[in-house]
Amino acid sequence: MLQTLYDYFWWERLWLPVNLTWADLEDRDGRVYAKASDLYITLPLALLFLIVRYYFEFYVATPLAALLNVKEKTRLRAPANPTLEHFYLTSGKQPKQAEVELLSRQSGLSGRQVERWFRRRRNQDRPSLLKKFREASWRFTFYLIAFIAGMAVIVDKPWFYDMKKVWEGYPKQSTIPSQYWYYMIELSFYWSLLFSIASDVKRKDFKEQIIHHVATIILISFSWFANYIRAGTLIMALHDSSDYLLESAKMFNYAGWKNTCNNIFIIFAIVFIITRLVILPFWILHCTVVYPLELYPAFFGYYFFNSMMGVLQLLHIFWAYLILRMAHKFITGKLVEDERSDREETESSEGEEAVAGGGAKSRPLANGHPILSNNHRKND
């Protein structure tokens, strides 16, 4: 049974053009081809990434946060109350009015005290500013290095300048060590993001982030063993070109450097729009949708790959919409907040201001689609 499923999954007609078999892509005459088994190494590498990230955040990001004067806001903790805590963990974090009244009777507190308790308890669960800064620092470092490495891999290749050369000689295109390591490192990193997504800063687009990571992992994996490597390197480098800008903007946002954050945001928005809404659909997608049909009839792998690319493109349109909306508010001088992030709730309406650890709170940019704030503590 398992062997039958295995054989069907790796059936050549699913993944390769007509009249081509896996035997045709076996290493020979000094030519090395991509193999699915090459990807096994990405899982232990993903675990290694998580270990490296832990030490990076502790020994690099934390001192950097102190250097940039990233200050945390001291949060008022919710007093111990078994009744309210049980409801919070089992029934919900935001009780309705009827539930507030019931909890008030059960706990012996007034309705306002119950609401205050839940506000404080929700704030306790929100990620700290330092945690957000550490996460942004790690991603900034990886994306910047990956972008530089990716450009080094492709900038001297003829298909970087002529999209038709992506398919020249396909599918019998041998791989080189730089392509191998670029693929393994990128795929390992996205595996690590998927493994850590539950413990990372959680945004309101949590589901979209999971879809993005899964689609990216599938695309990278498929493009490797189906030998779409030339197109894959172009796509990965294009995505990395704007991601490090976003993460650096978030870092300065958490540090309260208003002008630096806003200027980087403007650059990021321009790069994101150009790469994700212009170059990707009109150059890269055109290259993967149109040019292959000049060489061979469409097959399942062709439809599968371009369908996954379509999913990513829809996510890019969704994020671009948020970017443009936030840019409009920023340009018009309106207060801009991160619409995906959970804002910390204040108690000023009840005369209970939390003690600040330094200045006004900064509002984080979102991971994947950035949001600015015009309400930072200081200028750079």
Side-chain angles (χ1 to χ4, degrees):
M1 177 65 176
L2 292 178
Q3 184 62 40
T4 301
L5 292 175
Y6 178 86
D7 292 340
Y8 182 76
F9 180 82
W10 291 111
W11 184 35
E12 288 93 345
R13 295 290 68 78
L14 287 178
W15 308 113
L16 299 175
V18 65
N19 298 327
L20 189 76
T21 66
W22 295 116
D24 296 321
L25 297 180
E26 292 180 357
D27 300 345
R28 61 171 63 90
D29 301 327
R31 297 174 66 90
V32 179
Y33 297 100
K35 293 174 284 293
S37 58
D38 294 334
L39 303 181
Y40 294 154
I41 194 176
T42 60
L43 292 178
L45 281 179
L47 296 178
L48 179 61
F49 262 120
L50 294 176
I51 296 172
V52 172
R53 173 181 174 176
Y54 172 81
Y55 285 102
F56 175 90
E57 291 186 351
F58 189 80
Y59 290 106
V60 179
T62 300
L64 181 60
L67 183 64
L68 293 177
N69 201 30
V70 176
K71 293 184 178 180
E72 192 57 71
K73 183 175 183 177
T74 303
R75 296 170 177 174
L76 296 173
R77 297 184 62 84
N81 189 306
T83 301
L84 301 184
E85 183 70 22
H86 177 74
F87 184 94
Y88 182 87
L89 296 176
T90 60
S91 301
K93 300 180 180 181
Q94 294 183 316
K96 299 177 181 178
Q97 186 58 42
E99 293 171 327
V100 169
E101 294 174 359
L102 176 62
L103 290 170
S104 175
R105 293 193 295 269
Q106 293 176 344
S107 62
L109 301 175
S110 68
R112 289 175 66 85
Q113 289 174 321
V114 170
E115 292 172 347
R116 182 186 304 125
W117 188 95
F118 275 92
R119 258 196 309 276
R120 292 181 178 179
R121 186 64 180 84
R122 288 192 296 270
N123 284 339
Q124 284 178 216
D125 282 351
R126 291 190 171 91
S128 68
L129 198 62
L130 180 59
K131 176 179 174 64
K132 295 175 182 178
F133 183 87
R134 286 172 172 173
E135 182 179 309
S137 300
W138 166 248
R139 297 192 184 195
F140 163 76
T141 302
F142 175 83
Y143 289 135
L144 179 60
I145 294 174
F147 175 62
I148 295 173
M151 291 304 297
V153 170
I154 65 176
V155 73
D156 62 338
K157 305 299 186 296
W159 55 85
F160 180 69
Y161 305 95
D162 183 356
M163 293 285 116
K164 286 194 173 183
K165 290 187 180 296
V166 167
W167 305 104
E168 191 175 80
Y170 181 84
K172 295 184 178 181
Q173 298 171 337
S174 57
T175 61
I176 56 178
S178 60
Q179 291 174 328
Y180 171 84
W181 284 111
Y182 187 33
Y183 255 81
M184 298 307 112
I185 296 300
E186 284 276 356
L187 182 56
S188 300
F189 180 74
Y190 278 101
W191 273 121
S192 73
L193 290 184
L194 192 62
F195 293 157
S196 64
I197 196 169
S199 59
D200 287 343
V201 176
K202 196 170 183 179
R203 310 289 184 182
K204 293 179 181 178
D205 67 341
F206 181 73
K207 294 180 180 179
E208 287 84 355
Q209 285 293 323
I210 293 179
I211 293 172
H212 175 269
H213 295 340
V214 171
T216 300
I217 289 171
I218 292 174
L219 270 171
I220 295 176
S221 301
F222 169 78
S223 66
W224 177 259
F225 63 70
N227 222 19
Y228 275 47
I229 295 173
R230 293 181 181 180
T233 54
L234 293 175
I235 294 167
M236 290 188 295
L238 180 139
H239 280 76
D240 290 336
S241 66
S242 61
D243 288 341
Y244 72 92
L245 292 170
L246 168 62
E247 300 302 332
S248 63
K250 287 170 21 178
M251 291 169 61
F252 286 112
N253 179 61
Y254 301 144
W257 291 31
K258 172 185 172 182
N259 290 341
T260 303
C261 169
N262 291 344
N263 290 335
I264 294 176
F265 169 78
I266 294 172
I267 298 172
F268 165 79
I270 294 172
V271 173
F272 186 95
I273 298 300
I274 292 175
T275 56
R276 309 294 179 93
L277 298 189
V278 179
I279 296 178
L280 185 63
F282 296 107
W283 271 268
I284 306 295
L285 266 175
H286 182 268
C287 172
T288 61
V289 172
V290 176
Y291 294 157
L293 299 181
E294 298 177 0
L295 302 174
Y296 52 79
F299 61 104
F300 173 79
Y302 165 87
Y303 293 115
F304 178 79
F305 180 84
N306 287 299
S307 295
M308 290 294 99
M309 287 292 294
V311 171
L312 284 184
Q313 189 59 51
L314 290 175
L315 289 173
H316 295 155
I317 294 172
F318 167 69
W319 285 325
Y321 163 72
L322 294 181
I323 291 171
L324 292 174
R325 187 169 64 178
M326 292 306 103
H328 173 72
K329 292 182 180 179
F330 169 65
I331 293 172
T332 57
K334 296 180 180 179
L335 180 64
V336 181
E337 297 176 345
D338 183 345
E339 297 187 359
R340 299 185 319 142
S341 302
D342 289 333
R343 286 185 297 162
E344 187 165 331
E345 299 167 90
T346 65
E347 301 182 45
S348 57
S349 61
E350 300 180 33
E352 295 192 10
E353 294 285 352
V355 179
K361 70 179 181 183
S362 58
R363 296 178 172 83
L365 279 81
N367 177 29
H369 33 286
I371 312 300
L372 285 179
S373 172
N374 289 332
N375 191 29
H376 294 290
R377 296 187 252 113
K378 62 181 181 180
N379 296 335
D380 58 315

